[in-house]
Amino acid sequence: MKNSLNKSQVERFSRQLVLKNIGAKGQKKILSSKILIVGVGGLGCPAAENLVRAGIGTIGLVDDDTVNLSNIHRQSLFNSKDIKKLKVSVAAKKLKEINPQTQIKIYNLRLNDKNINDIIKNYELVIDGSDNFITKFLINDYCKKFKKKLITGAISKFDGHIFTFDFKYKKTASLKSFYQEKKVSDDILNCEFEGVLGTTASIVGAIQANEALKMIMETGQSLKNQILIIDLLNLNFRKVKFKKLKNEIR
């Protein structure tokens, strides 16, 4: 980590440098951090944009999909000219335009048990914006195995769920402690059938980015062993505690 910020960094991040919870010390932590974002969609787009604007040093983007017209209402890094282009490539280009100093690494693939180890080992924190439980539990397992920080998000209709895990602590509950069924249906994550308001994705993705920044700077309260449930139709926010299971089902 460099001893001081350069003139350009001081000017770019001046409005957050004055915050007592951040300052130069916190900003240097942000600049040296490495975050992996799985899913460059409704959650991954706003999360990535907010993190790049804050000055994250390295961001990895994982997605094997291309942009289609139905994505644009909620996936904030894409527009009509991007249709049929690779999401990771389009997102990387636009994020570099926002902050050229952030290193962007792209992985045009679907995360699985054969490639996750080689990818996840290079990052200290993972933001999960995936849309299926196979991927979510895979990420959960590997973050737990390698004692990574993980922020998981999910959206449907007007609702959002956010989990924050720091697996370097033994008493940290995992995603499996909350979803205790042997099999969880992906229907609750399916925007095609359930529908979702674009602002729901933007808000949940931004909160995921906010949680990531707090964890990197080690400031504020986290959602450890809690889920944040957001009902944007009625504008209700609530936290629900859950405990780590002694013997997880999966």
Side-chain angles (χ1 to χ4, degrees):
M1 187 183 296
K2 294 182 179 180
N3 292 326
S4 60
L5 304 174
N6 61 42
K7 183 178 179 181
S8 174
Q9 289 169 334
V10 170
E11 182 176 358
R12 178 182 286 270
F13 306 116
S14 60
R15 299 305 187 270
Q16 61 191 42
L17 281 168
V18 298
L19 296 171
K20 66 178 182 179
N21 297 79
I22 301 180
K25 182 178 180 181
Q27 188 62 50
K28 284 187 283 186
K29 288 182 179 180
I30 293 172
L31 292 168
S32 63
S33 62
K34 297 180 179 181
I35 294 178
L36 182 69
I37 298 176
V38 181
V40 187
L43 300 179
C45 284
E49 182 175 346
N50 278 282
L51 291 172
V52 164
R53 291 186 187 278
I56 294 298
T58 302
I59 287 181
L61 302 174
V62 180
D63 203 304
D64 68 340
D65 203 1
T66 56
V67 180
N68 64 63
L69 184 59
S70 67
N71 297 148
I72 295 171
H73 95 286
R74 68 189 182 284
Q75 300 181 13
S76 57
L77 289 174
F78 309 132
N79 58 48
S80 298
K81 294 180 180 179
D82 300 321
I83 292 173
K84 295 185 179 180
K85 296 179 182 179
L86 292 174
K87 287 185 176 181
V88 288
S89 298
V90 174
K93 180 181 179 181
K94 294 184 180 181
L95 292 171
K96 290 295 284 186
E97 289 174 351
I98 294 170
N99 183 0
Q101 296 176 1
T102 295
Q103 184 177 2
I104 309 293
K105 296 183 178 182
I106 63 173
Y107 305 91
N108 179 218
L109 50 80
R110 179 175 289 271
L111 211 60
N112 58 44
D113 58 359
K114 294 180 180 179
N115 59 34
I116 189 172
N117 184 46
D118 289 336
I119 296 173
I120 207 171
K121 67 182 182 182
N122 300 310
Y123 299 89
E124 62 191 278
L125 188 151
V126 179
I127 289 182
D128 172 18
S130 64
D131 61 359
N132 66 87
F133 280 103
I134 291 177
T135 302
K136 287 187 179 299
F137 288 131
L138 177 68
I139 296 168
N140 175 88
D141 291 346
Y142 271 79
C143 285
K144 185 176 180 179
K145 179 179 179 180
F146 293 104
K147 297 180 172 58
K148 303 284 186 178
K149 299 177 178 67
L150 170 64
I151 301 168
T152 297
I155 52 173
S156 179
K157 301 178 183 177
F158 298 89
D159 304 327
H161 293 170
I162 301 165
F163 303 84
T164 297
F165 307 108
D166 188 345
F167 290 115
K168 71 180 179 181
Y169 298 107
K170 291 183 179 180
K171 294 184 178 180
T172 298
S174 79
L175 197 62
K176 293 178 178 179
S177 300
F178 184 80
Y179 293 104
Q180 298 181 25
E181 299 88 352
K182 290 185 177 181
K183 186 176 181 180
V184 184
S185 173
D186 288 334
D187 289 346
I188 60 176
L189 302 176
N190 194 321
C191 295
E192 182 179 354
F193 298 107
E194 292 291 319
V196 65
L197 189 66
T199 51
T200 303
S202 297
I203 291 167
V204 172
I207 292 176
Q208 285 182 276
N210 188 69
E211 288 297 295
L213 291 168
K214 284 162 47 184
M215 292 184 83
I216 288 167
M217 294 183 293
E218 300 177 294
T219 188
Q221 294 184 344
S222 75
L223 288 169
K224 182 180 178 182
N225 295 350
Q226 298 178 89
I227 176 176
L228 176 63
I229 301 172
I230 302 172
D231 171 6
L232 292 171
L233 187 61
N234 299 297
L235 204 57
N236 290 325
F237 291 68
R238 63 190 178 100
K239 297 177 185 178
V240 176
K241 293 182 179 180
F242 60 98
K243 295 181 179 180
K244 179 180 179 180
L245 296 178
K246 292 183 178 180
N247 296 303
E248 292 182 337
I249 295 172
R250 298 174 186 83

